[in-house]
Amino acid sequence: MQGTQPPRTVFLPKHASRKRLPEPANLSDFKMTNYVVDEINAYAAIRDIALAEAEKEPTSLNLERARLANDFVEDCVKPARPPYGAQHLPETDAARERGNCQGVNVRLSLLRAHLDALAREHASAP
């Protein structure tokens, strides 16, 4: 035979707790992790390496690699939209990197013009 237990009494507080609950954190309040900054800087370094290779040996393939890498970095440093603020560089660094991307675009344009001139010269030579 099982003994029955008396029903338990639940005591509720007479007054609601006056403790203030912490406000929920906004996603934009989180500090940017070093991982995100390091990753974006790694993409910029890859772009710089691709540009150096394109300057050393200006072939169509090397120029295209450098252009693609630069386009990717440009996308990474666009101003952050509200929910993604923690996934971008701080604005001062991003602005500097956007300037670097513009400079890379100019250098790639000059290399492309040089490559095209060499191709025309080669085609016109007997």
Side-chain angles (χ1 to χ4, degrees):
M1 280 194 110
Q2 284 186 355
T4 59
Q5 294 180 355
R8 291 189 180 182
T9 307
V10 177
F11 295 97
L12 297 175
K14 291 182 182 179
H15 303 289
S17 175
R18 301 232 184 252
K19 270 188 176 179
R20 185 173 172 210
L21 296 176
E23 293 181 14
N26 286 336
L27 290 177
S28 61
D29 292 340
F30 292 126
K31 289 188 174 189
M32 183 182 345
T33 61
N34 286 338
Y35 174 78
V36 174
V37 173
D38 290 344
E39 189 173 5
I40 293 172
N41 287 333
Y43 293 136
I46 291 168
R47 185 256 338 258
D48 294 341
I49 290 168
L51 179 63
E53 288 176 0
E55 288 177 331
K56 183 178 178 183
E57 188 179 339
T59 64
S60 253
L61 182 62
N62 285 344
L63 291 176
E64 185 63 13
R65 283 181 186 152
R67 185 194 63 79
L68 288 171
N70 193 51
D71 288 350
F72 189 81
V73 172
E74 279 182 319
D75 286 342
C76 288
V77 296
K78 284 182 180 176
R81 288 190 251 163
Y84 305 107
Q87 298 175 4
H88 284 76
L89 290 175
E91 186 52 36
T92 53
D93 295 337
R96 184 193 72 242
E97 196 56 50
R98 283 191 289 273
N100 290 344
C101 288
Q102 288 177 348
V104 169
N105 281 332
V106 169
R107 291 166 70 184
L108 288 173
S109 295
L110 292 172
L111 287 170
R112 174 68 64 193
H114 176 70
L115 187 63
D116 291 344
L118 287 176
R120 281 192 303 272
E121 187 177 293
H122 183 67
S124 65

